Amino acid sequence: MLTYALMGLLVLGLAITTLWGVKYEPSKDSFMSVEDTTFLRGFWCIIVVLVHVPELYQNRIQDMLGSFAYIGVTFFFMTSAYGLKWSMEHKPGYMKHFWRRRLPPILIPAFIANLLNCCILLAKGKEITFFSVVNVNPWVKVLLINYVVFWIIYYLIPSKIGGGIWQEITICIVAVGWSLTERLTGYLAMSWEVERLGFVYGILLAANYKRVNEWIHKKWLVKSITLMVVSGVVGISYLKFKPIEFYGDYLLKIVLGIVLTAFVIEITSGFKVGNRVNRLLGSVSYEVYLLHEIVFSVIILLIPGLNSGVFIIGSIAITVILGVGLKKISDSIMRIHIKQ
């Protein structure tokens, strides 16, 4: 009973932090703005935490919410790619200093999180090595590989492949090829075979921003309702057919991810979104991803056998607090890096 009462409070809290301050804004003429993406990152980072709750502490509500986490991971890949493409087109000299700009925000928090994890391992009496510090989270590795592909295509060889649409086509071929190879053969396996396709979506959205923006805002209400209905139909179909290998658990999952992501983008394009709590969550979403499983380990080590609801709410609260601290430390180090 306590578990579901606390989970009900969590759902209510998530709804409040998401919907507080949301206002219908028919004059809005953009999508994927900083405000929109921060808003959605703040929402999805909590859902991602829920999907990774250790089995002993899971419950039905957590499992139901966590089942949508792959959409959130897809969204994180998508916004990363969108930001790269947008910056390349709007910031002079961006690609020339690409790695100097992009690596520190990714690696510095990851290494600090690793140091914290090393302390936990020592407390458990386990051995740590230099590799324990420098071996970044597998999701971060996948993101960095996508960055390498982006850098090669848009900086090293743009003139050789004609530029423009050929760059987008090459990105799509590489990403889809990698995903299919992993799914069909098991080679190059690094997980997130469906979610990492979000990187393609982000590139295509940025490359076709004007056309997509015009389409999104034309008959906004009709398209929002249509995408909501389609999302429901595809979602029900996925629940029914996901046991079918490849066609259900891969292709249909991709379709559902695309439709749900399109619906989320469409609906937010007609509203002014965001509030202080949500912006805070969005600003530390990466740090929350790096820290949440470490926090799980600490709580299990110090207070084993907690009620599921207490464990989940406590883990989220501690993760967000540590995430704020990690971001402040990382930002301080990056400011020193920029001055050098």
Side-chain angles (χ1 to χ4, degrees), residues 134-239:
V134 300
N135 185 30
V136 295
N137 185 289
W139 184 86
V140 176
K141 292 178 183 176
V142 174
L143 182 63
L144 289 174
I145 290 172
N146 280 319
Y147 277 22
V148 170
V149 172
F150 178 89
W151 181 69
I152 290 173
I153 291 172
Y154 284 98
Y155 184 66
L156 286 188
I157 57 174
S159 60
K160 296 181 181 179
I161 60 175
I165 192 171
W166 292 106
Q167 293 173 315
E168 281 77 67
I169 290 174
T170 306
I171 285 274
C172 290
I173 290 173
V174 172
V176 173
W178 180 13
S179 178
L180 278 172
T181 298
E182 178 176 334
R183 185 63 179 80
L184 295 175
T185 70
Y187 293 121
L188 307 175
M190 295 186 72
S191 298
W192 302 286
E193 57 196 23
V194 169
E195 295 87 338
R196 78 168 71 105
L197 294 176
F199 202 84
V200 172
Y201 313 153
I203 294 293
L204 295 179
L205 283 175
N208 300 279
Y209 180 85
K210 290 183 179 179
R211 280 176 286 184
V212 174
N213 190 46
E214 182 180 349
W215 185 88
I216 282 176
H217 289 93
K218 190 178 292 184
K219 297 182 179 179
W220 173 84
L221 182 59
V222 173
K223 287 173 181 173
S224 295
I225 295 173
T226 301
L227 284 170
M228 181 177 65
V229 172
V230 173
S231 296
V233 171
V234 177
I236 293 171
S237 300
Y238 174 67
L239 291 175

Side-chain angles (χ1 to χ4, degrees), residues 16-178:
I16 291 173
T17 58
T18 302
L19 299 177
W20 173 34
V22 171
K23 296 179 181 178
Y24 176 57
E25 192 171 282
S27 62
K28 188 174 179 179
D29 62 352
S30 64
F31 77 99
M32 292 287 285
S33 65
V34 173
E35 291 77 14
D36 291 346
T37 55
T38 300
F39 166 77
L40 291 170
R41 280 175 175 264
F43 171 80
W44 285 121
C45 75
I46 301 301
I47 304 301
V48 170
V49 171
L50 292 176
V51 78
H52 293 142
V53 170
E55 186 175 359
L56 184 63
Y57 299 92
Q58 293 179 4
N59 60 69
R60 290 184 179 180
I61 296 176
Q62 163 272 324
D63 183 62
M64 179 184 68
L65 293 172
S67 63
F68 292 95
Y70 91 94
I71 305 295
V73 178
T74 300
F75 183 79
F76 290 143
F77 277 117
M78 184 179 74
T79 53
S80 295
Y82 183 90
L84 294 183
K85 177 73 170 165
W86 187 91
S87 296
M88 183 195 73
E89 294 180 346
H90 293 84
K91 296 181 179 179
Y94 181 79
M95 293 303 292
K96 185 177 180 180
H97 303 288
F98 180 79
W99 294 112
R100 181 179 173 85
R101 292 172 184 264
R102 297 314 312 153
L103 281 182
I106 295 174
L107 294 182
I108 291 174
F111 290 155
I112 296 174
N114 282 355
L115 287 173
L116 178 59
N117 191 50
C118 286
C119 294
I120 308 305
L121 293 175
L122 285 173
K124 291 181 177 180
K126 296 184 178 180
E127 183 181 356
I128 62 170
T129 65
F130 177 73
F131 192 64
S132 303
V133 178
V134 300
N135 185 30
V136 295
N137 185 289
W139 184 86
V140 176
K141 292 178 183 176
V142 174
L143 182 63
L144 289 174
I145 290 172
N146 280 319
Y147 277 22
V148 170
V149 172
F150 178 89
W151 181 69
I152 290 173
I153 291 172
Y154 284 98
Y155 184 66
L156 286 188
I157 57 174
S159 60
K160 296 181 181 179
I161 60 175
I165 192 171
W166 292 106
Q167 293 173 315
E168 281 77 67
I169 290 174
T170 306
I171 285 274
C172 290
I173 290 173
V174 172
V176 173
W178 180 13

Side-chain angles (χ1 to χ4, degrees), residues 243-262:
I244 300 176
E245 190 172 353
F246 188 74
Y247 294 103
D249 67 352
Y250 180 71
L251 292 181
L252 192 54
K253 187 177 182 180
I254 290 174
V255 173
L256 178 59
I258 292 173
V259 173
L260 279 173
T261 301

